[in-house]
Amino acid sequence: MPEQERHARQCLHLETLQQRYSDALETHGYDALLIASGAAPMRYADDHGYAFQGFGPFVHWTGLTDVEHSWLLIRPGRQALLQLYTPVDFWHATASLPDEPWARELELTASPERRPPALDGLGRLAVIGDPAALTDLPGTHNPADLLADLEATRILKTGYEIECLDLANARAADGHRAAREAFLAGASEFEISLAYQQATAQREVEAPYHSIIGLNDHAGILHYQYYDTARPQQPRSLLIDAGYRFRGYGSDITRTTAAPGEGMFQALVAGVESLQKRLCDAVVPGMDFVELHRKTHLGLAALLSSAGLVRGLDEETQVAEGITRAFFPHGLGHLLGVQVHDVGGRPVPPPADAPFLRLTRRLEPGMVVTVEPGLYFIPSLLKPVMQGRLGNQLDHGLIDELWGCGGIRIEDNVEVTDNGACNLTRRHLP
Ligand code: GLY
Ligand code: MN
Ligand code: MN
């Protein structure tokens, strides 16, 4: 899409937000809303701070993820006011006012002060953001009922947001291709992370989340957070879960690659991928995501049987006995947006059989969700099952061979459309 068209869509996005926010403010009896971008706290007893990521509602409006001490004032019937913090600072670069069409939809000011713009005469004021940024401010701070409705404005994406998520997928796809090549050439986790950053031209701190790059048994640590600098003596598997952030919107993609010669593990990767594609095809408006999560368990049970990992138990029994949960402990997916686990996904808590599921809604056109089944060899989860009542139904020898491959996850980002779905990931990474 030409840049000009994207700019036009962003202006429409802001009009939509103005309407959605005005409705929410009216519902809850407020005349104005102040949103704090926030600021990174300093580390204890140190003169350095933590990496900063802007507050979701601020990014939803502005796309600006890295401006601290800045403010957005929403006033129904008037242009929103964006005040950027622009101190005179010879230690750091300071933000400059954006010069793009979307910014002309707003009233823009620059301020050397960390304080918000004048708040007199606004009537009933709500203020939202990190409480640490709101000290001494007037108004009602973070009212829960209003916050819930503002989070709901992020569930159905505008055309502009879908476009940003699509571009975030396109760029991340380049990174995933480079990471796979680096793995097949024998690279370490650290070298794979460099290949990913190089191909995406994105620093790790700018990414939507810390990339998960696990070789061999590290692939079985769901949110593995280190990069080993040593190359493995025998590379067996790579699991990389990494995204790209485009104007605030993050992709969240996982691929698993078996090393040449890992026939059994490769067959399992192919099995999970085939299940993942069927689940993506089942993404349609009206689908209950909890049901889709349950279908995933049945699909994994079938795969465990056909691979010979579990014998003599039908699919329903494997699920009811918690065997599939020992291989696949997390949820099938979540909403995606300016936060990687985007808000608004759990109007009701997840059921007892899916405690980590982050999306309990029926799917609607405009949602963007991840579809990320997995199959892992995690000793702390599998060993109790292997030593338990049904332990003999599992093939211990096969599992012993596979501990060293860690696990499998395949994750795509899927837009729910009026008639079905559009897989934003596979457009760029088939
Ligand atoms: N990257 C974390 C997740 O897939 O939810
Ligand atoms: Mn992920
Ligand atoms: Mn995810």
Side-chain angles (χ1 to χ4, degrees):
M1 170 182 292
E3 206 177 7
Q4 227 176 352
E5 200 173 320
R6 194 175 65 239
H7 285 314
R9 283 192 176 195
Q10 190 172 9
C11 295
L12 286 176
H13 168 73
L14 288 176
E15 276 178 33
T16 304
L17 292 200
Q18 180 75 19
Q19 188 61 53
R20 290 181 187 174
Y21 270 61
S22 298
D23 291 348
L25 290 175
E26 191 184 324
T27 300
H28 296 285
Y30 293 103
D31 301 307
L33 173 71
L34 180 69
I35 305 174
S37 72
M42 299 304 281
R43 297 199 291 242
Y44 179 63
D46 197 349
D47 61 358
H48 280 66
Y50 292 98
F52 177 69
Q53 293 272 353
F55 178 46
F58 187 88
V59 179
H60 193 204
W61 276 81
T62 65
L64 302 174
T65 54
D66 57 358
V67 295
E68 298 178 88
H69 305 294
S70 296
W71 303 89
L72 190 66
L73 184 60
I74 312 295
R75 301 157 298 185
R78 287 180 66 180
Q79 274 186 322
L81 169 70
L82 171 61
Q83 176 180 297
L84 278 192
Y85 176 54
T86 54
V88 177
D89 180 350
F90 57 83
W91 294 103
H92 304 103
T94 48
S96 44
L97 291 178
D99 181 23
E100 288 185 340
W102 69 271
R104 296 195 268 284
E105 300 287 312
L106 307 178
E107 193 180 326
L108 287 181
T109 62
S111 170
E113 304 292 337
R114 294 180 172 188
R115 289 193 303 271
L119 299 171
D120 321 310
L122 290 170
R124 289 158 303 173
L125 174 70
V127 184
I128 63 171
D130 180 348
L134 310 187
T135 316
D136 298 332
L137 292 186
T140 308
H141 292 190
N142 290 319
D145 50 357
L146 175 65
L147 274 178
D149 276 4
L150 296 181
E151 289 189 347
T153 69
R154 287 161 60 183
I155 295 170
L156 303 184
K157 268 60 188 177
T158 61
Y160 167 72
E161 293 178 288
I162 303 276
E163 172 71 10
C164 289
L165 286 165
D166 184 50
L167 285 159
N169 269 270
R171 188 64 76 85
D174 292 338
H176 279 269
R177 275 185 283 272
R180 181 184 154 88
E181 273 172 35
F183 165 66
L184 293 173
S188 68
E189 291 166 354
F190 180 70
E191 289 167 328
I192 294 169
S193 84
L194 293 183
Y196 185 86
Q197 288 184 64
Q198 176 82 44
T200 53
Q202 171 192 248
R203 289 191 306 153
E204 181 109 336
V205 292
E206 295 165 337
Y209 55 95
H210 191 292
S211 301
I212 300 162
I213 300 175
L215 292 179
N216 298 354
D217 54 323
H218 292 162
I221 301 171
L222 297 182
H223 284 174
Y224 174 65
Q225 70 274 44
Y226 303 118
Y227 298 141
D228 205 330
T229 52
R231 296 179 175 185
Q233 282 195 327
Q234 187 195 350
R236 299 187 63 190
S237 60
L238 164 69
L239 185 153
I240 170 165
D241 180 343
Y244 180 84
R245 209 164 188 195
F246 180 80
R247 297 172 87 93
Y249 290 85
S251 48
D252 178 11
I253 301 173
T254 310
R255 289 293 182 265
T256 307
T257 307
E262 292 290 344
M264 180 66 204
F265 188 67
Q266 171 53 39
L268 287 172
V269 172
V272 174
E273 177 143 32
S274 147
L275 171 64
Q276 195 265 358
K277 286 182 175 171
R278 291 200 304 278
L279 294 166
C280 289
D281 288 342
V283 169
V284 288
M287 168 61 77
D288 177 354
F289 205 74
V290 176
E291 274 313 302
L292 203 56
H293 174 85
R294 291 189 174 131
K295 278 193 206 317
T296 309
H297 277 270
L298 290 171
L300 286 171
L303 178 58
L304 291 171
S305 293
S306 66
L309 285 160
V310 177
R311 289 173 308 233
L313 295 177
D314 64 25
E315 290 153 22
E316 283 75 16
T317 307
Q318 286 190 50
V319 175
E321 293 289 345
I323 292 176
T324 51
R325 256 177 77 187
F327 284 98
F328 172 51
H330 59 75
L332 174 63
H334 49 84
L335 294 171
L336 193 63
V338 294
Q339 286 166 234
V340 68
H341 297 153
D342 214 8
V343 294
R346 295 216 270 207
V348 292
D353 62 338
F356 301 115
L357 186 59
R358 292 189 170 95
L359 178 55
T360 59
R361 288 183 178 275
R362 270 186 196 283
L363 299 179
E364 292 177 54
M367 289 180 176
V368 177
V369 301
T370 66
V371 177
E372 48 180 305
L375 194 166
Y376 308 89
F377 299 91
I378 303 173
S380 62
L381 298 180
L382 268 188
K383 285 199 168 158
V385 178
M386 293 164 77
Q387 287 151 12
R389 187 167 52 84
L390 296 173
N392 287 340
Q393 312 300 129
L394 275 66
D395 187 323
H396 293 216
L398 214 42
I399 293 173
D400 284 345
E401 276 176 40
L402 290 165
W403 294 122
C405 290
I408 301 161
R409 182 164 61 256
I410 314 274
E411 177 176 23
D412 288 345
N413 306 162
V414 182
E415 173 200 356
V416 186
T417 62
D418 289 336
N419 313 316
C422 173
N423 190 319
L424 301 177
T425 305
R426 294 213 185 246
R427 295 183 61 190
H428 309 287
L429 193 64

